[in-house]
């Protein structure tokens, strides 16, 4: 019987939570949010962590690279959106959001996730990253 060191236990704990911090979402049905854990390949590539976590976002299949900067027009559109006057109507905001490129202005949301594991019901608070174009879909 081999004794496990505290470092081994720490590594096991880290790896067990690595795939269970961020989730991917299906936001295609109004009023319903489908969540799932990320696969190993998605974790390694940064999908849903450094990219929009909406599986139906047009930016979802683009390579995840947090170091790339926005194209000049995308940066200007994002700046225009962020600096728009505060009291605008919902319609005006939708128009501004539609001008933004998909995958820009990422924000992290903590959402409750209910699932079954080994026949046991579980619930966790997980992180969902969404771009400015997809974020309103979470709240409709």
């Amino acid at each position: 019987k081999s004794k496990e060191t505290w470092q081994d236990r720490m590594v096991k704990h880290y790896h067990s939570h690595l795939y269970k911090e961020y989730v991917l979402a299906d936001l295609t049905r109004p009023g319903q949010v489908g969540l799932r854990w990320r696969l190993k390949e998605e974790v390694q590539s940064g999908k849903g962590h450094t990219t929009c976590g909406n599986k139906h976002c047009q930016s979802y299949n683009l390579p995840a690279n947090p170091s790339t900067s926005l194209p000049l027009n995308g940066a200007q559109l994002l700046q225009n959106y962020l600096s728009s006057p505060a009291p605008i109507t919902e319609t005006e905001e939708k128009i501004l959001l539609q001008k933004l490129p998909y995958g820009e202005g990422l924000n992290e949301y903590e959402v409750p996730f209910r699932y079954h594991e080994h026949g046991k019901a579980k619930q966790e608070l997980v992180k969902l990253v969404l771009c400015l174009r997809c974020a309103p879909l979470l709240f409709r």
Side-chain angles (χ1 to χ4, degrees):
K1 179 179 170 182
S2 66
K3 289 190 175 183
E4 209 173 27
T5 66
W6 70 269
Q7 292 99 336
D8 294 332
R9 288 191 306 273
M10 186 175 72
V11 168
K12 262 189 195 175
H13 179 77
Y14 173 77
H15 281 283
S16 71
H17 288 82
L18 183 63
Y19 301 101
K20 292 187 173 186
E21 183 176 7
Y22 290 90
V23 294
L24 297 177
D26 180 347
L27 302 171
T28 55
R29 295 183 187 169
Q32 295 181 348
V33 178
L35 299 175
R36 74 164 175 84
W37 298 120
R38 299 181 303 156
L39 303 174
K40 181 178 181 179
E41 299 79 32
E42 293 165 333
V43 171
Q44 291 171 340
S45 71
K47 293 280 185 190
H49 182 189
T50 59
T51 65
C52 183
N54 178 9
K55 289 191 54 185
H56 297 281
C57 180
Q58 290 182 14
S59 72
Y60 180 77
N61 290 320
L62 298 176
N65 189 351
S67 64
T68 58
S69 59
L70 287 172
L72 188 55
N73 62 344
Q76 185 60 48
L77 289 169
L78 182 59
Q79 184 57 40
N80 290 347
Y81 173 76
L82 295 174
S83 64
S84 62
I88 61 174
T89 66
E90 188 175 333
T91 304
E92 291 171 328
E93 184 165 12
K94 284 181 181 179
I95 291 168
L96 284 173
L97 284 172
Q98 288 173 353
K99 293 178 182 178
L100 290 175
Y102 282 94
E104 303 303 342
L106 297 176
N107 288 293
E108 239 178 54
Y109 300 90
E110 285 192 337
V111 294
F113 183 21
R114 291 184 195 99
Y115 63 99
H116 286 81
E117 187 173 69
H118 305 294
K120 195 174 187 181
K122 294 188 174 190
Q123 180 174 340
E124 291 190 39
L125 202 56
V126 294
K127 295 176 186 173
L128 174 61
V129 176
L130 296 173
C131 67
L132 286 171
R133 291 283 298 259
C134 295
L137 301 174
L138 183 62
F139 303 103
R140 62 181 174 163

